[in-house]
Amino acid sequence: MSACGHEKGLINIDEAIDHILNTVKPLGTENIELQNSLSRYLAQPIYSPVNLPSFDQSAVDGYALCASDIIEKNQCFELIGEIRAGQSSDLVLKAGQATRIFTGGKLPEGCTTIARQEIVHRLDDHRIQITETLQANIDIRRQGEELALGQQVANKDQYLKTGPLAALSMAGVQQVDVYRQPKVAVVITGDEVATEQNSLSSAYVYDANGPLIKAWFQERHIQVEILHIHDEAKALSELFARLKNHYDVIVTTGGVSVGDYDFVRPCALEVGFKEIFWKVKQKPGKPIFFAKYQQDQHACYLLGLPGNPAAVYVCMQVYTRLLIDALQGQNQNIDWFEVKLAQPLKADKRERFMRMKLELYAGELSAANLANQQSHMLSNLMDANCLVRVPADISPEVGTLVSAIRI
């Protein structure tokens, strides 16, 4: 039999990525309330429905003044009223007059500048004195200075994190067109997986894959159904036959290699899935399986991940991420960045995904290796903040440039 790294028929990582990007078609779009759009991708650009600010307003707590020129130190003004934020006022200032105003308050007609309260001395209830020389147009927010009515505020494909969502809210946007999120089922296979703590025996292992995958999707605000199933071919085929018509994505863990009880691939093919690829020349996660079921306008994608939790984690960060983004209109490769290795590494026949820690040393960013890289180990995820691609068949030295993504 061929050595693990030289097994015939293996595709490389970039080929696997291309297969996903060339296979997956985006789901439809929907119009939803902006407040429910966190972690969604915009399907259309957005144009501001208002001027921002929508009116001239004070940038500080202070006094709106009317003067024909520069205001000299110790100049006095007649105080004729007060304007709070959110209050409409018909006050009209004439030269030499002032009104108390607060941050966000709408400027009265005739206002030429704002004196912040720290440079104003109240002489009595009707007169104020300015204690510093003051130019015109100070501390005034002008209508439309941030956004003009009709100005584009967000591009198509914008990812709606907290910041963009808040910016759109301030611009008065209420509804957004976004790509539909996929409906996802997660199938955890294996007779050895304990689903409850009190069922753990000497032959069982705790389930890390279910919580791992559920948390990964929760970070993206995607709800998933987690299902556990024993290594039984008939039961798995029946489950796939049911799920394929109701979900856009099925993610499985375990059962994708060549063991006597590895039923994911044959059962998927039995119920109509078409294989896109199986086995990638990588470490960890070699026996990854990707297939598609198509019935009329409905497509269901099956991503079969290995059972070892580190392999699951790595494949989620690369392949599941690609799949889920492509379904939401983001049909593009992973945005790798280059970083230097902090330690030398031994060669391996397969390209490796290694969990590492980004560190700043002497003003330069580098990736430091972490212990416990085996595919059944997860403890280094307490410190890891990046996933590094280490090419096959080389022994990289300190300072070697490698591709990485943040995790």
Side-chain angles (χ1 to χ4, degrees):
M1 182 177 290
S2 300
C4 188
H6 295 297
E7 182 180 335
K8 291 183 179 180
L10 297 185
I11 62 174
N12 63 40
I13 291 169
D14 292 315
E15 288 173 323
I17 289 173
D18 287 341
H19 278 308
I20 291 177
L21 296 180
N22 292 330
T23 300
V24 177
K25 304 301 181 185
L27 299 171
T29 64
E30 58 184 345
N31 184 269
I32 63 174
E33 292 185 5
L34 177 66
Q35 63 182 358
N36 298 325
S37 68
L38 187 64
S39 298
R40 305 294 287 269
Y41 289 98
L42 288 178
Q44 298 292 338
I46 293 180
Y47 301 89
S48 179
V50 297
N51 290 304
L52 195 63
S54 57
F55 50 84
D56 291 348
Q57 60 184 248
S58 176
V60 296
D61 291 341
Y63 295 81
L65 310 178
C66 180
S68 58
D69 204 347
I70 296 174
I71 297 170
E72 301 294 342
K73 182 178 179 180
N74 295 327
Q75 188 170 338
C76 295
F77 287 80
E78 178 189 5
L79 186 60
I80 64 169
E82 177 182 283
I83 299 174
R84 300 190 305 272
Q87 177 188 27
S88 295
S89 173
D90 56 3
L91 279 175
V92 177
L93 296 181
K94 298 179 181 179
Q97 290 183 331
T99 183
R100 183 76 162 110
I101 197 167
F102 297 90
T103 303
K106 185 176 182 179
L107 296 192
E109 184 179 342
C111 174
T112 58
T113 197
I114 301 293
R116 63 188 186 277
Q117 61 188 22
E118 292 85 352
I119 65 168
V120 175
H121 175 57
R122 291 284 292 262
L123 298 174
D124 53 41
D125 290 342
H126 303 289
R127 290 188 305 154
I128 60 171
Q129 185 179 52
I130 309 304
T131 60
E132 295 180 7
T133 299
L134 190 62
Q135 303 290 327
N137 296 306
I138 299 298
D139 287 324
I140 293 176
R141 301 170 181 166
R142 291 300 180 186
Q143 181 185 46
E145 68 177 19
E146 181 178 1
L147 288 173
L149 174 66
Q151 180 180 341
Q152 185 170 331
V153 61
N155 296 323
K156 178 178 179 291
D157 299 324
Q158 170 74 51
Y159 184 63
L160 295 178
K161 299 185 290 186
T162 304
L165 193 150
L168 291 174
S169 296
M170 182 172 284
V173 175
Q174 302 294 320
Q175 304 282 133
V176 288
D177 291 320
V178 295
Y179 288 101
R180 184 169 68 83
Q181 286 184 322
K183 189 177 181 182
V184 182
V186 177
V187 179
I188 310 298
T189 74
D191 295 338
E192 76 282 7
V193 179
T195 57
E196 298 178 4
Q197 184 169 345
N198 59 13
S199 67
L200 191 70
S201 73
S202 60
Y204 280 73
V205 296
Y206 287 118
D207 175 27
N209 292 335
L212 185 163
I213 295 174
K214 183 177 181 181
W216 189 91
F217 279 106
Q218 283 179 329
E219 288 179 339
R220 290 153 181 81
H221 292 83
I222 298 176
Q223 298 300 313
V224 298
E225 182 179 2
I226 305 289
L227 303 163
H228 291 79
I229 191 167
H230 291 293
D231 292 321
E232 298 174 359
K234 181 181 178 181
L236 188 59
S237 292
E238 291 174 350
L239 180 60
F240 284 163
R242 176 172 65 86
L243 296 178
K244 69 181 184 180
N245 295 312
H246 300 285
Y247 290 87
D248 303 301
V249 174
I250 302 171
V251 178
T252 68
T253 67
V256 289
S257 193
V258 293
D260 292 346
Y261 297 95
D262 288 334
F263 297 128
V264 167
R265 179 172 174 266
C267 289
L269 298 178
E270 179 186 346
V271 300
F273 283 88
K274 304 299 182 183
E275 181 176 309
I276 308 301
F277 65 79
W278 180 42
K279 297 183 180 180
V280 178
K281 191 177 179 181
Q282 68 178 49
K283 184 177 182 180
K286 183 188 76 170
I288 185 173
F289 171 64
F290 181 54
K292 178 181 180 181
Y293 170 79
Q294 184 78 48
Q295 181 66 40
D296 299 326
Q297 298 302 311
H298 172 70
C300 180
Y301 301 90
L302 190 150
L303 191 62
L305 310 182
N308 281 318
V312 171
Y313 183 83
V314 164
C315 291
M316 290 294 293
Q317 296 292 344
V318 178
Y319 302 111
T320 309
R321 175 180 174 182
L322 281 171
L323 171 58
I324 297 302
D325 280 354
L327 285 168
Q328 297 178 89
Q330 310 310 301
N331 197 266
Q332 54 196 355
N333 205 331
I334 289 175
D335 188 18
W336 303 97
F337 65 92
E338 286 193 330
V339 66
K340 291 182 178 180
L341 289 177
Q343 296 97 12
L345 298 173
K346 294 181 179 179
D348 195 283
K349 294 185 180 301
R350 282 179 283 167
E351 186 171 5
R352 285 169 288 173
F353 288 114
M354 299 187 69
R355 292 149 277 162
M356 295 192 180
K357 184 176 182 179
L358 292 175
E359 296 180 338
L360 193 62
Y361 180 73
E364 191 171 65
L365 196 64
S366 62
N369 192 20
L370 297 170
N372 302 327
Q373 291 286 341
Q374 290 92 328
S375 63
H376 64 287
M377 298 180 175
L378 290 180
S379 57
N380 61 17
L381 291 180
M382 295 295 180
D383 298 307
N385 57 15
C386 70
L387 199 63
V388 171
R389 285 181 66 172
V390 181
D393 298 317
I394 67 168
S395 300
E397 302 293 333
V398 174
T400 300
L401 283 174
V402 290
S403 296
I405 54 172
R406 293 185 183 273
I407 56 175

